[in-house]
Amino acid sequence: MNTPPALWEYRLGPDDSGQKYLSILLHKFHFSIKLLNRLKKGERVWVNGKFTYLTSRGKEGDLLSVELFPDEEATIKGEDLPLDILFEDEYLLAVNKPVGQVVHPNNRYPTQTLGNAVIGHWERRGENRLFRPIHRIDRNTSGVVVIAKNQFAHQQLAWQLERGHIHKRYHGFVQGVVAENEGTIDDSIGFAPNSFIKRQIDPNGISARTCFRVLHRYPTATFLEFILETGRTHQIRAHCEGFGHPLLGDDLYGGDTTFLTRHALHSSMYAFLHPATGLPIIIRAPFPKDLRDLLIHLKDFVTA
């Protein structure tokens, strides 16, 4: 099976004249040293259609081309599983992950994961790739997950993520009526006592910051939008419990499970700059059926 290569190209401008191609790729476009070393060994960098050394200097008008590595040995077994694709091109795949599915195989969940589904999707098209999710969400959180299709796309989005250039939004339903229209929870998070899973507010823990905005209030619940400024494990869940409004259905953090048996949290939007074009990309995922049903129940409760 042969995976079609992704070709990255850039036309040098006036400011690039006299610069080494290495410097342009490293400093202007944030190619990692690891990737540049692979490109150098594979002779995958050309100027105006001819192989060039990274230490050569460019001039205005040069067309710098980089062939990104197409074939990689998958480390996850592909499976024929449903996959709700929101966006895909030669660099990225974005999917709407269902409730109950783990992102990456582990000892407890070795199969039926999102990774197995993605690799199976690519294998059926004759493509060999590694599974490189840019971020992970909990097994029972639904919504957007973005996967890089090559090393370049992964390191480009990782660079954006580290610098806060990627914007993620979640929607959730919490227990009780939140009084403030909006606010920020700026509380550090650590492990809860005697647990390897649950987190809690801990002044000695890792810094975590969650912004929220009320979208609608119901008699016994509140519909919130969350914007994460950090990405800690269980951050929203622990912060909601900490300020007295656990997510509905979240039994681990004290949420009411009367109408929902999983925490009512959905990864609804992921915005970033495309790794190759630099153009803004916004990925949105619709609510799954259980949250749509919860919305109907809450609305019926208001009108009853």
Side-chain angles (χ1 to χ4, degrees):
M1 294 187 292
N2 295 313
T3 304
L7 188 65
W8 179 94
E9 293 185 323
Y10 170 66
R11 182 78 63 180
L12 271 63
D15 295 342
D16 303 311
S17 290
Q19 297 290 322
K20 293 181 180 179
Y21 298 118
L22 173 65
S23 179
I24 294 172
L25 294 173
L26 180 63
H27 300 296
K28 190 166 188 173
F29 294 102
H30 318 296
F31 278 63
S32 68
I33 293 293
K34 183 178 179 180
L35 177 56
L36 288 172
N37 283 333
R38 288 191 68 194
L39 294 171
K40 176 183 176 181
K41 291 178 181 178
E43 297 189 357
R44 294 176 182 264
V45 181
W46 302 280
V47 171
N48 303 324
K50 298 180 180 179
F51 167 73
T52 187
Y53 292 101
L54 289 173
T55 52
S56 299
R57 297 182 184 272
K59 63 180 183 299
E60 182 180 358
D62 280 348
L63 180 63
L64 179 61
S65 303
V66 177
E67 182 185 334
L68 304 174
F69 294 84
D71 285 312
E72 298 175 298
E73 189 70 28
T75 57
I76 296 174
K77 178 180 174 59
E79 297 177 32
D80 189 1
L81 300 172
L83 197 63
D84 184 2
I85 296 175
L86 301 171
F87 173 87
E88 185 172 18
D89 67 4
E90 59 187 323
Y91 291 90
L92 301 169
L93 170 67
V95 302
N96 187 8
K97 188 189 80 67
V99 177
Q101 187 176 56
V102 172
V103 171
H104 204 284
N106 56 42
N107 290 336
R108 187 176 179 186
Y109 300 98
T111 62
Q112 304 287 306
T113 71
L114 181 62
N116 298 120
V118 168
I119 295 300
H121 163 67
W122 287 334
E123 286 178 346
R124 289 190 296 276
R125 299 197 314 191
E127 299 178 12
N128 293 320
R129 301 185 187 277
L130 294 177
F131 180 61
R132 291 185 171 101
I134 304 304
H135 64 120
R136 301 185 187 188
I137 56 178
D138 292 343
R139 179 172 65 90
N140 283 327
T141 299
S142 54
V144 179
V145 176
V146 177
I147 301 110
K149 295 179 69 171
N150 53 56
Q151 184 182 2
F152 168 74
H154 184 266
Q155 63 104 154
Q156 288 288 303
L157 291 190
W159 185 89
Q160 291 184 43
L161 190 64
E162 290 171 2
R163 287 154 183 80
H165 296 165
I166 291 179
H167 302 284
K168 297 177 285 184
R169 296 196 179 190
Y170 292 77
H171 287 95
F173 298 86
V174 300
Q175 198 166 304
V177 180
V178 176
E180 303 90 346
N181 289 330
E182 58 184 30
T184 299
I185 306 170
D186 194 359
D187 294 318
S188 298
I189 294 174
F191 281 101
N194 305 315
S195 178
F196 292 106
I197 300 174
K198 185 180 179 182
R199 269 64 170 178
Q200 68 175 19
I201 303 301
D202 181 356
N204 298 316
I206 302 174
S207 63
R209 188 177 174 90
T210 303
C211 300
F212 69 87
R213 180 169 66 96
V214 171
L215 299 179
H216 196 87
R217 293 184 178 91
Y218 300 94
T220 60
T222 308
F223 181 28
L224 296 177
E225 178 182 70
F226 300 98
I227 299 175
L228 299 184
E229 294 190 6
T230 55
R232 312 306 180 196
T233 301
H234 291 194
Q235 178 173 319
I236 293 175
R237 299 170 68 185
H239 273 170
C240 285
E241 180 195 43
F243 88 123
H245 296 282
L247 290 163
L248 291 178
D250 195 351
D251 58 346
L252 182 63
Y253 288 89
D256 184 1
T257 58
T258 303
F259 302 108
L260 199 67
T261 56
R262 62 101 171 184
H263 52 266
L265 186 64
H266 181 69
S267 172
S268 54
M269 189 275 285
Y270 204 86
F272 54 94
L273 298 180
H274 192 281
T277 67
L279 297 175
I281 298 287
I282 300 176
I283 308 294
R284 290 188 172 89
F287 270 16
K289 185 178 184 302
D290 63 346
L291 293 188
R292 296 198 305 269
D293 290 344
L294 178 62
L295 264 174
I296 292 171
H297 166 77
L298 292 173
K299 289 177 181 177
D300 288 345
F301 187 81
V302 171
T303 58

